[in-house]
Amino acid sequence: MTQHIWPEQLVAYQSSPVFTEASVPVRLQKAHDTKAGTWAKLIVQTGALTFVIEETGATQHVAAGSVALIFPQQLHHVEISEPVTFYLEFYRVPD
């Protein structure tokens, strides 16, 4: 299993819209990844969802006020089974 490290020098450069169980794009519910050099935080505001890492099958229950860390090129998806609001923040190493 790959050991992932969240570099201290990362800077946020973009955020997604806020998604709900009704508006979450299908592509987020299927295996996908971030591009090389892009980290992300999945931030749940209300409710909860399940974050799944494809490589290991590991799951993380992410409830309101919690965050899942997403590493560059890490295949993952979300599973929605209840009302939820969440968004993504994207990070990179500064130039």
Side-chain angles (χ1 to χ4, degrees):
M1 185 167 112
T2 305
Q3 181 70 14
H4 294 288
I5 297 171
W6 188 270
E8 289 183 28
Q9 73 272 26
L10 293 178
V11 294
Y13 70 92
Q14 186 176 7
S15 293
S16 74
V18 174
F19 300 115
T20 69
E21 68 282 356
S23 67
V24 61
V26 172
R27 70 182 180 276
L28 296 183
Q29 298 176 69
K30 297 181 178 187
H32 66 282
D33 63 2
T34 55
K35 62 186 175 182
T38 300
W39 288 257
K41 288 182 182 178
L42 185 157
I43 302 165
V44 176
Q45 296 178 307
T46 63
L49 55 73
T50 301
F51 175 73
V52 181
I53 298 171
E54 300 292 329
E55 178 183 6
T56 62
T59 62
Q60 178 182 349
H61 179 79
V62 188
S66 297
V67 171
L69 300 179
I70 304 168
F71 296 90
Q73 299 178 300
Q74 179 183 58
L75 281 172
H76 62 279
H77 71 272
V78 296
E79 296 176 352
I80 310 294
S81 61
E82 63 182 84
V84 65
T85 59
F86 71 98
Y87 66 99
L88 298 148
E89 287 182 345
F90 297 95
Y91 292 79
R92 64 180 169 218
V93 175
D95 296 331

